[in-house]
Amino acid sequence: MQILLVEDDHKAARLLARGLEEEGYTVTVAHAAQDVEAADLARADLAILDWMLPGKDGVTLCGEWRRRGLQTPVLMLTARDAVADRITGLNTGADDYLTKPFEFDELLARVRALLRRSVRTQPVLLQVADLSIDPQTHAVHRGGASLDLTPKEYAILDFLVQHVGEVVSRLQLAEHVWHADLIAIDNLIDVHMKNLRRKVDAPGNEPLIATVRGRGFRLAAPGESDA
């Protein structure tokens, strides 16, 4: 699941992103309205939006999204706790409202609740050959057998599934799974990819994940890879 986090406090954004990533979510961070890329917004399954952003505030930004027809669930974060402020946020288009300071567990519960509502109109499972992924519960099965993946392994697999049949570069994995420079985590990619392939492509299963030399990795159903 992709989460877009728009928070101008860099430390708070870093801590929130890290906590969500540890739960298996892929997080894209922006610190102001003008930093939000259209592609990141289009991919997001959920947006977490701070009210007090520099320049254009979160309420104005949320209102613009709704007027453009964007249906992505929005969780508004703010220190404003007056009833009138909550009403303003919700009437502008936010789906939920969380006042600061808050416990991360409560934010996580609200994230999960919003995602449960939004995925009711989406396919329940993502399927590639006999590999199935439940985006809501993060349950993964291969040939009916449950796979026990770490949060990072799940995030890698989720990103590969989103780009099924395409080559995903090491740089893309570094940016979207770790939000880090490739040089800093190059060896980590190898370690996690090796463990992921050991589970997904265990002996007796036809390989789904392939290394494309000099380019990256591809997940595809048997017979559909051109590598």
Side-chain angles (χ1 to χ4, degrees):
M1 285 287 190
Q2 300 268 350
I3 294 178
L4 173 63
L5 171 61
V6 190
E7 165 64 73
D8 65 317
D9 184 323
H10 288 235
K11 181 179 179 181
R14 185 168 60 252
L15 291 174
L16 279 177
R18 183 182 304 163
L20 291 166
E21 287 166 355
E22 288 176 354
E23 294 297 324
Y25 298 102
T26 300
V27 184
T28 300
V29 177
H31 298 297
Q34 63 266 27
D35 297 334
V36 177
E37 299 286 345
D40 292 329
L41 183 57
R43 282 195 300 265
D45 299 294
L46 171 74
I48 300 176
L49 185 58
D50 185 45
W51 183 318
M52 299 301 292
L53 296 173
K56 186 182 296 181
D57 64 39
V59 171
T60 302
L61 183 60
C62 182
E64 289 181 357
W65 290 349
R66 295 308 187 220
R67 286 192 293 275
R68 285 159 44 192
L70 186 76
Q71 298 300 312
T72 303
V74 173
L75 171 59
M76 186 77 70
L77 305 181
T78 180
R80 296 170 177 256
D81 59 359
V83 172
D85 291 324
R86 294 199 295 271
I87 291 172
T88 297
L90 293 170
N91 283 344
T92 304
D95 297 275
D96 199 358
Y97 190 102
L98 185 59
T99 56
K100 300 178 180 179
F102 53 81
E103 293 292 332
F104 178 76
D105 285 346
E106 182 179 1
L107 177 135
L108 187 60
R110 291 173 182 268
V111 164
R112 288 170 173 162
L114 288 171
L115 288 172
R116 277 199 303 272
R117 296 174 206 163
S118 68
V119 299
R120 287 175 183 170
T121 58
Q122 300 173 7
V124 175
L125 296 178
L126 301 176
Q127 193 88 28
V128 179
D130 61 348
L131 174 72
S132 65
I133 299 175
D134 187 325
Q136 178 56 40
T137 65
H138 293 181
V140 180
H141 293 80
R142 178 85 199 265
S146 177
L147 305 184
D148 184 17
L149 304 185
T150 67
K152 275 291 184 284
E153 290 165 1
Y154 178 86
I156 293 171
L157 182 61
D158 180 61
F159 193 69
L160 290 172
V161 168
Q162 291 178 43
H163 297 83
V164 64
E166 304 173 10
V167 175
V168 172
S169 70
R170 300 170 73 86
L171 178 60
Q172 285 178 290
L173 289 176
E175 291 178 342
H176 289 272
V177 177
W178 278 270
H179 300 283
D181 181 85
L182 176 59
I183 295 176
I185 53 87
D186 199 23
N187 290 337
L188 277 177
I189 292 177
D190 290 328
V191 171
H192 286 285
M193 185 62 74
K194 179 180 179 180
N195 291 335
L196 176 63
R197 295 175 78 164
R198 179 173 53 81
K199 296 174 182 180
V200 172
D201 294 337
N205 290 331
E206 291 193 73
L208 299 181
I209 303 173
T211 298
V212 182
R213 188 177 299 276
R215 297 175 61 196
F217 308 93
R218 178 193 288 114
L219 182 143
E224 293 184 5
S225 172
D226 57 11

